[in-house]
Amino acid sequence: MSSCLLHFHLLLPPVSQPLPFSRHKRPYLLRATPTSSAALAEVSDAVFDVAPSNLISQPRSPEFWIDSLRSKVRSNLLREAVLTYIDMIVLGITPDNFAFPALLKAVADLRDADLGKQIHAHVYKFGYGVDSVTVANTLVNLYRKCGDFGAVYKVFDRITERNQVSWNSLISSLCSFEKWEMALEAFRRMLDEDVEPSSFTLVSVAIACSNLSEGLLLGKQVHAFSLRKGELNSFMVNTLVGMYGKLGKLGSSKALLGSFEGRDLVTWNTVLSSLCQNEQFLEALEYLREMVLNGVEPDGFTISSVLPVCSHLEMLRTGKEMHAYALKNGSLDENSFVGSALVDMYCNCKRVVTARRVFDGIFDRKIGLWNAMIAGYAQNERDEEALSLFIEMEESAGLLANTTTMASVVPACVRSNAFSRKEAIHGFVVKRGLGEDRFVQNALMDMYSRLGKIDISEMIFGKLEDKDLVTWNTMITGYVFSECHEDALLVLHKMQNFERKADLKPNSITLMTVLPSCAALSALAKGKEIHAYSIKNNLATGVAVGSALVDMYAKCGCLHNARKVFDQIPIRNVITWNVIIMAYGMHGNGQDAIDLLKMMMVQKVKPNEVTFISVFAACSHSGMVDEGLRIFYNMQNEYGFEPSSDHYACVVDLLGRAGRVEEAYQLINTMPLDFDKAGAWSSLLGACRIHNNLEIGEIAAQNLVQLEPDVASHYVLLANIYSSAGLWEKATEVRRKMKEKGVRKEPGCSWIEHGDEVHKFIAGDSSHPQSEKLHGYLEALWEKMRKEGYVPDTSCVLHNVEEDEKEVLLCGHSEKLAIAFGILNTSPGMVIRVAKNLRVCNDCHQATKFISKIVDREIILRDVRRFHHFKNGTCSCGDYW
């Protein structure tokens, strides 16, 4: 044995379940199987509805019959080959060592396990069950193709003289059953018996390595051995390219492609597929171009591999070119995957009508195509159409839904108003026997989290033993959707502990899902850690992850970093632009936000509804009332957009924040009658609270209580307006109505990150381990602040209590506790970053200015509306918020 091969041999890991390679003298017999020729003929007649052979009446030599049998198998006339064998038996012609391998190959290709067992019995009857290794090898292949894992073992175990083909058959069978470790163990035993591996052996072993996270080193040994033995043919190279790609070593895949002169279409397709699977979408397009320039014509597999690139990058024009090419060369008709990929691409690019035209134009619709169209409707939230197509698939096309179908149908049921009994779909899934499937369970987890039953999602997640990447991503998404951001980060941490499995490596969906939790908690350190991971894995410049990173940095108070990431994204969609515009708006940089809108138009990215919401918010936080109004009244002429109810709500906020409350009220009265005015009235009520406008505030509150009687903030704002005006009885009456309706005020919460933890503080709560220490520090700090001129703004305490008690209540506000924690637990000079779930009150805003000056710290506070950067006793908002 060569030293290279010996090294590989030593690296192979043992498996927990050893292969049964012991020798058995008793032959392997199948019980309860008829072995007479009449019985076999009866079985075959039941299987094949064909006329009797006309050769049986013609006397021929045994050699003729065996040659005829083998010839039919070579011509793929499988049923005829079986009937020829039956004729032989009827005539008393004894099959030999050449007849059985051909016959068994025919039965294997027919995937007929019952008939295969009959032939297996004949093998033993005619004395070829133990001594003929050729026949035994063919039996291993038969049971592999028929999916009988146990029979593969038993047949192989009874081969007395195993040759190279025997081991190749076993290793290939283990790979087809996805028993990767066992395949490597079989390879080790093959080497133990001094059987020289062939290129077929090495291909199977490389496939096994590609499916094991620890398989890279072993795979390299296979590569080295194939080089040493001169076995690096195109089949071997293609397998190695796929192996390196699947294990995330794209550099090795590309190096093999570049160095192999015999590269063919399969080699190129394998590299393209690897790049797409590793989300290197732009590079995949570059390699496609290079492939065409090298004179290699793409086929259906190429097109179906590259179309997802167009989907992810929303490159509709390139996708249309692919579509045209598929129509020209016939790939659309010949390859069902191309049609499905086209439907998926058009749906991802929001061209659902075009996707439906592609779907309708394909006559031979396999279930994959139906699933693609149903998924396309579902992901574009055209849920009734998704459900209608699902019903049509089952009732008209006669196709039964599979797990992929239900993974799209379940979320459509959750969102559809026409489907009222949401949880009934779970019963349907169980009734169809699909409830144990991992993909369906992932969809059910998502369903329950969206229904507000995150505990059921947790239960399903906990019971799933074989969690894949989608399972982890779904659980993270459920926590983010339910605003359980700490739990989302905890699940990510647990997931990273499982990274020893190759398929559990966080991908772009993981990152874009969990980054909003970092943003919500102002967990900058965790966000930076995720950013570093995305750079290492070439995910940072993708449009989805890049946009999420921009949002995370902006919401953690790092506007410079947000802009830096934005500038590095090569292809930006409207979401990316909206995020950066909103970022500048949150930080009070309204002019920069408007400049970005102009830049966006120059780069021919069409704004959407969210774009203008972001622009109006930026103008509102910057006091740019006239500029905001100009854009609002010119939306139709300049941008081709009719203002929506949300845009009116933003402009009401713009006017109200600037003190133009009466003008904001009049704007609401000009809104179209069919518009939902709840958002506009809410903005107006907030403005009335800031500017203490009791008369209009009461009008706004009355409208809101009618439109949204269960929203606590409406009652709270009205009660605050009454309290500020000293109308304590009216304020008490509002709170009494809240209690009667069961409406509860959201408590003020603040978060601050320290080390690997995010610490949460609630107003008036003393449950934090350092609570006593924090309150003591604030009391001492209070004295220093008073000496500097600080006067507590007790108007922010909306309870009818004594002034000194009001000051105590002010001291317990959540943002003050979080700031005190930051001062006491971080090094001098470090920036303190705090996030709050509500608008910062006047007193906390004023107090934080004094604190920043006294402790000489920059304090960045994000409330529900915007950022406040406190430094040297001033705030970036200029007291305009």
Side-chain angles (χ1 to χ4, degrees):
M1 188 183 299
S2 68
S3 59
C4 176
L5 193 56
L6 179 61
H7 188 194
F8 178 88
H9 172 81
L10 293 173
L11 282 168
L12 284 165
V15 293
S16 56
Q17 180 185 354
L19 294 174
F21 287 123
S22 58
R23 305 294 188 192
H24 295 282
K25 295 181 179 179
R26 186 175 57 182
Y28 168 58
L29 294 173
L30 292 158
R31 286 181 266 177
T33 55
T35 57
S36 69
S37 58
L40 187 60
E42 184 180 342
V43 170
S44 109
D45 286 342
V47 176
F48 309 126
D49 185 17
V50 294
S53 170
N54 60 1
L55 294 176
I56 195 166
S57 59
Q58 303 174 18
R60 304 283 184 178
S61 66
E63 291 78 10
F64 167 81
W65 285 99
I66 293 170
D67 287 345
S68 176
L69 171 62
R70 297 175 69 188
S71 174
K72 286 181 171 62
V73 175
R74 284 195 296 268
S75 301
N76 206 36
L77 301 171
L78 307 178
R79 291 171 172 80
E80 289 81 354
V82 174
L83 290 172
T84 299
Y85 173 75
I86 293 170
D87 289 345
M88 287 173 56
I89 301 303
V90 170
L91 290 172
I93 306 295
T94 302
D96 63 6
N97 198 42
F98 297 102
F100 278 121
L103 176 63
L104 288 167
K105 182 184 183 305
V107 178
D109 290 344
L110 288 169
R111 305 294 199 276
D112 191 329
D114 290 334
L115 187 58
K117 290 175 181 179
Q118 305 298 320
I119 304 299
H120 191 172
H122 272 224
V123 166
Y124 274 97
K125 179 181 178 180
F126 290 103
Y128 294 102
V130 177
D131 297 331
S132 175
V133 67
T134 305
V135 174
N137 293 343
T138 319
L139 279 168
V140 171
N141 182 59
L142 162 73
Y143 287 117
R144 174 181 68 83
K145 287 192 174 182
C146 291
D148 193 336
F149 180 54
V152 166
Y153 261 111
K154 292 175 182 177
V155 172
F156 180 84
D157 194 32
R158 287 159 176 79
I159 301 175
T160 54
E161 296 296 331
R162 298 167 187 147
N163 60 13
Q164 187 186 76
V165 177
S166 308
W167 287 102
N168 286 350
S169 299
L170 177 67
I171 294 169
S172 175
S173 297
L174 291 169
C175 288
S176 69
F177 290 115
E178 298 186 2
K179 306 292 184 181
W180 312 117
E181 285 104 341
M182 296 174 76
L184 295 180
E185 169 68 4
F187 181 50
R188 187 179 70 81
R189 296 297 299 268
M190 177 184 182
L191 300 180
D192 280 344
E193 295 193 8
D194 289 328
V195 179
E196 186 76 7
S198 66
S199 61
F200 293 105
T201 323
L202 299 176
V203 164
S204 295
V205 173
I207 291 171
C209 291
S210 70
N211 285 281
L212 295 168
S213 59
E214 68 274 15
L216 180 60
L217 188 57
L218 303 177
K220 287 181 176 180
Q221 296 295 320
V222 173
H223 188 177
F225 183 75
S226 61
L227 280 169
R228 183 184 181 92
K229 291 294 183 179
E231 298 281 3
L232 210 59
N233 52 36
S234 60
F235 193 35
M236 188 69 216
V237 168
N238 295 340
T239 306
L240 288 170
V241 167
M243 178 196 76
Y244 283 123
K246 200 165 183 180
L247 294 173
K249 298 299 178 181
L250 291 175
S252 299
S253 291
K254 292 183 286 187
L256 266 174
L257 174 73
S259 62
F260 183 54
E261 294 182 359
R263 54 184 176 268
D264 54 13
L265 176 61
V266 177
T267 319
W268 285 100
N269 282 347
T270 306
V271 171
L272 287 172
S273 178
S274 297
L275 288 167
C276 294
Q277 288 170 6
N278 285 274
E279 302 183 17
Q280 303 304 300
F281 301 124
L282 290 175
E283 196 170 3
L285 291 178
E286 292 171 7
Y287 267 80
L288 175 64
R289 180 175 176 274
E290 186 180 343
M291 168 182 164
V292 174
L293 291 175
N294 276 269
V296 181
E297 187 174 340
D299 65 354
F301 186 86
T302 318
I303 296 168
S304 60
S305 293
V306 176
L307 276 170
V309 174
C310 305
S311 287
H312 282 89
L313 299 179
E314 297 181 17
M315 298 178 69
L316 181 61
R317 182 175 177 180
T318 306
K320 286 181 175 180
E321 290 174 1
M322 291 285 184
H323 188 179
Y325 181 85
L327 289 170
K328 183 179 178 181
N329 76 352
S331 296
L332 192 54
D333 298 323
E334 297 170 3
N335 190 322
S336 61
F337 294 108
V338 173
S340 302
L342 278 169
V343 167
D344 180 69
M345 183 274 296
Y346 280 119
C347 288
N348 275 353
C349 293
K350 314 300 180 189
R351 299 295 193 274
V352 183
V353 174
T354 308
R356 184 58 192 254
R357 282 202 292 266
V358 173
F359 176 85
D360 290 337
I362 299 173
F363 298 104
D364 182 19
R365 299 176 194 146
K366 294 182 170 58
I367 193 166
L369 182 63
W370 287 91
N371 286 344
M373 193 67 245
I374 292 170
Y377 277 135
Q379 74 188 37
N380 284 280
E381 298 191 5
R382 298 173 67 158
D383 301 311
E384 281 73 19
E385 290 165 284
L387 296 175
S388 296
L389 192 64
F390 164 60
I391 294 168
E392 182 185 340
M393 182 188 87
E394 291 227 331
E395 294 188 353
S396 302
L399 295 171
L400 288 177
N402 61 14
T403 55
T404 306
T405 320
M406 297 314 301
S408 298
V409 169
V410 169
C413 291
V414 175
R415 291 188 300 263
S416 174
N417 293 326
F419 196 87
S420 56
R421 296 177 62 238
K422 311 294 186 186
E423 294 170 64
I425 194 66
H426 193 169
F428 176 84
V429 164
V430 173
K431 185 178 178 180
R432 282 292 182 87
L434 304 173
E436 296 302 313
D437 180 80
R438 187 173 59 204
F439 296 104
V440 175
Q441 288 182 316
N442 292 341
L444 290 171
M445 284 166 53
D446 180 70
M447 178 187 81
Y448 283 112
S449 64
R450 292 180 186 278
L451 293 175
K453 299 182 178 182
I454 192 69
D455 55 328
I456 300 180
S457 297
E458 290 173 332
M459 183 181 68
I460 297 172
F461 180 78
K463 288 182 178 180
L464 266 169
E465 292 184 5
D466 187 20
K467 298 179 179 73
D468 65 357
L469 184 57
V470 178
T471 309
W472 289 92
N473 287 349
T474 304
M475 194 67 247
I476 292 171
T477 304
Y479 280 129
V480 174
F481 184 84
S482 304
E483 297 186 2
C484 302
H485 300 294
E486 298 98 328
D487 293 313
L489 293 178
L490 182 62
V491 171
L492 176 66
H493 178 70
K494 289 180 180 178
M495 176 184 174
Q496 288 172 314
N497 291 336
F498 285 88
E499 271 193 43
R500 61 181 181 274
K501 295 185 178 180
D503 59 345
L504 285 185
K505 190 176 182 181
N507 64 358
S508 60
I509 296 173
T510 319
L511 305 190
M512 64 180 282
T513 302
V514 79
L515 279 167
S517 288
C518 299
L521 300 173
S522 282
L524 180 62
K526 190 65 180 177
K528 285 183 173 180
E529 181 185 322
I530 293 171
H531 188 186
Y533 175 91
S534 68
I535 292 172
K536 182 179 179 181
N537 290 276
N538 296 316
L539 300 174
T541 55
V543 66
V545 175
S547 301
L549 283 167
V550 172
D551 182 64
M552 182 275 296
Y553 277 120
K555 289 179 178 175
C556 287
C558 300
L559 186 58
H560 173 74
N561 287 359
R563 183 56 186 263
K564 189 175 179 181
V565 172
F566 174 83
D567 290 337
Q568 291 172 348
I569 301 173
I571 298 178
R572 308 174 190 127
N573 62 12
V574 65
I575 297 172
T576 318
W577 286 95
N578 289 348
V579 168
I580 194 65
I581 291 171
M582 181 65 80
Y584 277 100
M586 288 176 67
H587 288 266
N589 299 353
Q591 188 57 54
D592 291 315
I594 292 173
D595 291 342
L596 280 164
L597 174 64
K598 294 175 182 176
M599 190 188 305
M600 179 181 181
M601 299 300 294
V602 169
Q603 296 192 15
K604 302 190 183 305
V605 179
K606 186 178 180 180
N608 62 12
E609 183 176 344
V610 178
T611 313
F612 292 102
I613 291 173
S614 303
V615 169
F616 294 139
C619 292
S620 180
H621 294 310
S622 306
M624 299 174 64
V625 181
D626 293 338
E627 184 64 20
L629 290 173
R630 187 196 68 76
I631 294 172
F632 176 71
Y633 288 116
N634 287 281
M635 278 178 66
Q636 177 62 48
N637 294 334
E638 287 190 28
Y639 305 102
F641 260 92
E642 285 287 347
S644 69
S645 58
D646 288 332
H647 297 137
Y648 273 93
C650 290
V651 176
V652 169
D653 180 75
L654 172 72
L655 291 167
R657 196 177 298 275
R660 295 160 67 169
V661 177
E662 182 66 35
E663 196 175 338
Y665 176 47
Q666 294 304 324
L667 180 63
I668 295 176
N669 292 330
T670 66
M671 288 176 67
L673 294 175
D674 60 336
F675 272 24
D676 179 6
K677 296 183 181 180
W681 285 119
S682 181
S683 295
L684 183 62
L685 182 59
C688 291
R689 166 71 183 95
I690 294 171
H691 298 289
N692 296 316
N693 191 315
L694 178 60
E695 181 183 355
I696 295 179
E698 285 183 317
I699 295 171
Q702 288 168 6
N703 281 279
L704 283 168
V705 168
Q706 288 180 356
L707 293 169
E708 297 177 338
D710 298 324
V711 177
S713 61
H714 306 331
Y715 298 93
V716 172
L717 284 171
L718 180 60
N720 291 353
I721 291 171
Y722 285 140
S723 298
S724 297
L727 302 172
W728 299 108
E729 289 184 5
K730 286 191 173 185
T732 303
E733 178 64 19
V734 172
R735 292 192 180 96
R736 186 185 62 78
K737 286 182 179 179
M738 284 180 67
K739 190 173 182 180
E740 286 176 357
K741 291 180 178 290
V743 179
R744 300 186 64 182
K745 175 184 179 294
E746 182 182 9
C749 298
S750 295
W751 295 268
I752 183 170
E753 183 184 32
H754 177 60
D756 291 332
E757 293 184 67
V758 175
H759 294 260
K760 181 179 180 180
F761 296 91
I762 301 174
D765 183 31
S766 58
S767 61
H768 191 276
Q770 296 186 29
S771 182
E772 186 176 346
K773 183 179 179 182
L774 297 177
H775 282 284
Y777 175 78
L778 284 173
E779 288 178 14
L781 190 59
W782 233 238
E783 296 303 318
K784 295 180 182 178
M785 290 163 61
R786 286 180 184 279
K787 291 177 182 178
E788 293 289 332
Y790 165 69
V791 178
D793 185 353
T794 55
S795 67
C796 297
V797 179
L798 305 171
H799 298 281
N800 191 12
V801 294
E802 297 298 327
E803 287 296 307
D804 57 345
E805 190 174 345
K806 287 183 179 182
E807 291 187 20
V808 172
L809 291 172
L810 286 174
C811 192
H813 279 195
S814 64
E815 56 266 57
K816 290 190 180 84
L817 293 171
I819 290 169
F821 176 87
I823 295 169
L824 292 175
N825 290 276
T826 60
S827 303
M830 282 188 67
V831 177
I832 296 171
R833 301 174 191 276
V834 175
K836 187 179 181 183
N837 65 332
L838 303 176
R839 183 180 183 271
V840 61
C841 74
N842 290 345
D843 179 74
C844 287
H845 190 269
Q846 185 71 4
T848 307
K849 289 195 288 186
F850 278 92
I851 293 171
S852 69
K853 183 177 181 180
I854 291 170
V855 301
D856 193 22
R857 295 281 197 107
E858 181 180 358
I859 301 171
I860 300 176
L861 173 62
R862 188 192 80 211
D863 68 11
V864 72
R865 291 284 186 174
R866 62 161 297 155
F867 271 91
H868 301 268
H869 293 255
F870 298 94
K871 193 172 184 180
N872 295 325
T874 62
C875 180
S876 61
C877 74
D879 296 337
Y880 183 86
W881 87 103

